[in-house]
Every structure is written in C-alpha cells, then in structure tokens.
Amino acid sequence: MKKAKLIHGTTNSVPVGATDDEIEAIYQRSLKPYLRALYKADAVPATLHLSGHLLSWILRHHSEYTDVLSEMVQRRQVELLGGGYYDPVFPLIPRPDRIGQIEALTTLVRKRFRRRPRGAIITGSAWAADLPGTLRSCGIEYVFLDDHHFVTAGCSGDNLCRPAIVEDQGKTVAAFPVCHDLRVVARGNQPADAIEFLTSRAQDDPAMVFSLVEDGRRYRETAGRARRGEQRIAWMEQFLDLLLQNRERIEVVLPYRYLREHPPRGRVYFGSALGAETTAGLLQDRFAEGDDSHFFGERVRRCLERYGESNLLYAKMQYTHVLANQVRGDRYRKQAAREELWQGQSHAVYW
C-alpha cells in the first residue's frame, strides 16, 4: 500500500529579556498543552526543539515538564533538536560564537535527557554557505530548512520531499525541506484537510517525506479568538488522533531514524542554481509577500542595509565579540562576558 511519510513537531523559544510572567503564559498556553496532547498520543513520534534560554527557564520553574519529556525521549517517542542556545542568526555571528552556542545547548540537552541532539533548527531558516562545516564540527548531522532554499537551488517536484546533502569544504549535513504547501494547509484549514493533503500524495517511494515543524506558540489554549496564523490546541489533538486512525496510509517518523534507513544522495548548493529572474518568479508564486514567519537567508543582510538601528546593533555585537575575547586572567569574568555577548546575539532584537 502506498504511504506518505511525515516528520512533525515544533520549535519553541522566547526572546532574551522576556519576563517570567510572559514566559509562564507561553508555558501554560502552548508548551504544557502540546506536550500533554503528545503524551496521550504515545504512538505518534514527534520532533521537538527548545532553545537553551527557554529550556533553562523550564528547568528552574517547571521541572515536572522535563520529567515527562525525559520519559518520552527514553521511550523514543520524541527526538530533541539542538541549535543556537540563544537563537542567534548564524550568518551574522562569528564562527567561534556559532560553535559555542550550539555546544552549549547540546551540553544542556545531553546532561538533562542523556541524549545528544543530532539535528538542529536554523533560526529564521537563515542559511550561510559555510554552516555545514560549523554544524558538523559540533556533531550536528541534519537540519530543517524552509523549502524555499530548495526551490532557489533548482529542486522541484518530488525532490522537494526528500532531504539533500549540503556541503562546505568537505563537511556535510543533511537538510530536510519543511513543506511550505503542507504548512499553508495546516494553518488555514481543519486537521482533516492536512490528512487529506498527505494521503493524496502517498507514493511507493519510501524516501519521500513531508516535514512540518512549526512554531510551538501557534498551538495554544486561549479563551478568546485565536490570532491570525494560530490554531487552538484542540486542532493538534484532533490532528494526532487522525494520524493514529490513518496509520496504514501515513507513517510518522523521527528524522534520525529516517536518515539511517534512507541516507540522502542528492547534493544541493543553496542559492547558486537559478538565475535572479527565475528565482524571483518562483518565490513570488510560492511565498506570500510580507510573510514575517521566517527570514530568508538573503534577507538577513538586507535587513541591516534597510534598518540603521539593526546595523548599529550588529556592529556593536561584533565589537563586543572582540572585547569579550580579549579578557585575560579571570576565567569566570571571561565566561560571564561571553554569556552576555551570546544573549545579545539573539535574533529577535534585529527585526
């Protein structure tokens, strides 16, 4: 029987500087209800990302959450993702800070859950050509990227439903395309429509996989009307139930296990395969103008060009990086300076 493979999950973070009350509201309305729904649907595996800043807050205030999550990790229902500790935009920060932030989150996850994350979330899906080497040196084997990267690299059709190898200087990582079309259906329709999207695209090819990794705050409990782009947690509960009911036609998989069975063979170099006019036409057809849900890699530098305040923050961050690395003698003072620097690299302030 033809099947559709699905990788689904959420990415969760909070801006540096958010108050305890603000984070508590996110925890009560989004994080806790989502984990509860996932725990009940114990036959449905999921991929979960928690930024280091958010995870450390949860460990201080709601250790019961990590107790439940640890149980789900141990029974292999949940695969945890790594990334930058404070959600930095990787193309904007120096390589030593990239490595430091990735390893800081990896260490936190490994100590608490006794599993080292093999995959990573790329904040804002902002890519840089030299990232594969950095990621691989930190033990990261795969990443999730918006599929517009694959479109601009010349991929189309079924190739938008397969991970690809991304390489730099001989270092490689696998990149999963997050399906834009499935994301649109899931955000604007009922759970049954997302199920229909998947079942209608079921094929005999076992290497095809659809990825749906959303911002966890889109699924929330609220007494009022849901905001644009958000879904009530009941949507996710119904979606999980439908996945269980359609197990013969939809196979939910974890990314690391998928890669062990279906290692990617195709190689892509993002942003180099299509001319400017063709790329612009494809993007105009596939992506809404003014969509702020993610930041395309090529828009990162343009943000600095357009907004002088962001450019000044960027310049100050680079200068602070130099100062922090000039601290000598006092190891704890150097660590404190580096921690402050990493907090200042959080992506939220630049937009």
Side-chain angles (χ1 to χ4, degrees):
M1 178 182 290
K2 295 181 179 180
K3 278 190 174 183
K5 281 189 171 68
L6 171 68
I7 295 172
H8 89 97
T10 61
T11 173
N12 304 272
S13 64
V14 291
V16 174
T19 66
D20 285 346
D21 289 343
E22 291 170 338
I23 303 176
E24 181 69 28
I26 294 172
Y27 173 81
Q28 295 293 343
R29 295 176 183 174
S30 298
L31 290 172
K32 183 179 177 180
Y34 176 78
L35 194 70
R36 182 173 62 237
L38 198 60
Y39 187 85
K40 292 179 180 178
D42 57 357
V44 180
T47 305
L48 189 64
H49 166 256
L50 296 166
S51 71
H53 183 51
L54 176 58
L55 180 55
S56 62
W57 184 92
I58 293 174
L59 287 169
R60 292 194 306 270
H61 295 85
H62 292 286
S63 59
E64 72 278 5
Y65 179 93
T66 57
D67 291 341
V68 174
L69 183 56
S70 181
E71 176 189 336
M72 298 169 74
V73 170
Q74 295 305 315
R75 72 187 186 203
R76 301 184 186 278
Q77 182 188 0
V78 169
E79 185 170 325
L80 294 174
L81 298 177
Y85 194 95
Y86 288 105
D87 282 324
V89 181
F90 286 125
L92 296 185
I93 69 173
R95 188 174 187 273
D97 294 335
R98 296 179 189 175
I99 294 174
Q101 291 222 36
I102 293 171
E103 291 188 342
L105 179 54
T106 295
T107 299
L108 182 62
V109 171
R110 180 175 53 81
K111 285 184 176 180
R112 179 58 187 88
F113 301 102
R114 294 181 292 175
R115 294 286 173 85
R116 180 185 179 89
R118 300 292 182 179
I121 286 291
I122 305 299
T123 304
S125 201
W127 187 254
D130 61 344
L131 268 179
T134 302
L135 293 165
R136 197 69 186 194
S137 67
C138 297
I140 299 299
E141 300 177 21
Y142 66 88
V143 297
F144 287 92
L145 290 172
D146 291 333
D147 66 358
H148 84 275
H149 286 289
F150 292 76
V151 173
T152 58
C155 299
S156 60
D158 292 348
N159 288 328
L160 293 174
C161 302
R162 294 188 181 94
I165 298 171
V166 190
E167 179 268 344
D168 178 63
Q169 302 295 316
K171 301 291 182 65
T172 63
V173 294
F176 284 94
V178 177
C179 184
H180 173 78
D181 293 338
L182 177 56
R183 176 184 279 169
V184 170
V185 172
R187 289 181 181 180
N189 298 277
Q190 297 299 315
D193 296 310
I195 298 296
E196 174 61 26
F197 177 95
L198 292 167
T199 55
S200 66
R201 288 160 176 79
Q203 294 197 21
D204 293 324
D205 185 355
M208 286 189 61
V209 62
F210 295 90
S211 298
L212 179 64
V213 181
E214 284 277 38
D215 184 339
R217 285 178 291 182
R218 290 188 178 276
Y219 307 115
R220 58 187 295 165
E221 286 184 341
T222 176
R225 184 177 180 180
R227 298 177 183 177
R228 182 181 178 183
E230 292 181 348
Q231 303 280 9
R232 296 182 187 277
I233 197 64
W235 190 99
M236 177 53 64
E237 293 173 344
Q238 186 177 350
F239 181 64
L240 295 174
D241 287 341
L242 289 173
L243 287 176
L244 289 172
Q245 296 172 22
N246 290 270
R247 279 179 289 185
E248 294 183 355
R249 302 180 65 188
I250 301 175
E251 181 183 359
V252 186
V253 296
L254 294 175
Y256 187 62
R257 288 189 182 181
Y258 169 89
L259 289 174
R260 292 179 64 180
E261 297 177 3
H262 308 286
R265 297 180 180 179
R267 181 172 300 202
V268 296
Y269 292 92
F270 294 130
S272 60
L274 295 177
E277 292 183 2
T278 305
T279 300
L282 284 170
L283 292 180
Q284 185 176 3
D285 290 341
R286 289 177 54 82
F287 301 101
E289 188 69 26
D291 182 5
D292 294 328
S293 62
H294 48 272
F295 303 98
F296 298 168
E298 61 268 23
R299 290 185 180 179
V300 174
R301 300 289 177 180
R302 293 180 188 177
C303 180
L304 301 184
E305 291 178 8
R306 184 171 183 178
Y307 301 107
E309 298 89 342
S310 295
N311 193 39
L312 288 172
L313 287 167
Y314 168 74
K316 185 175 183 179
M317 180 270 293
Q318 293 286 357
Y319 179 61
T320 307
H321 166 81
V322 174
L323 294 180
N325 283 276
Q326 288 178 346
V327 176
R328 297 289 184 270
D330 190 336
R331 184 181 65 179
Y332 297 103
R333 182 166 172 260
K334 186 178 182 68
Q335 289 178 348
R338 187 175 298 159
E339 186 76 13
E340 294 286 346
L341 168 65
W342 288 354
Q343 290 184 32
Q345 293 171 342
S346 176
H347 75 96
V349 67
Y350 289 99
W351 320 123

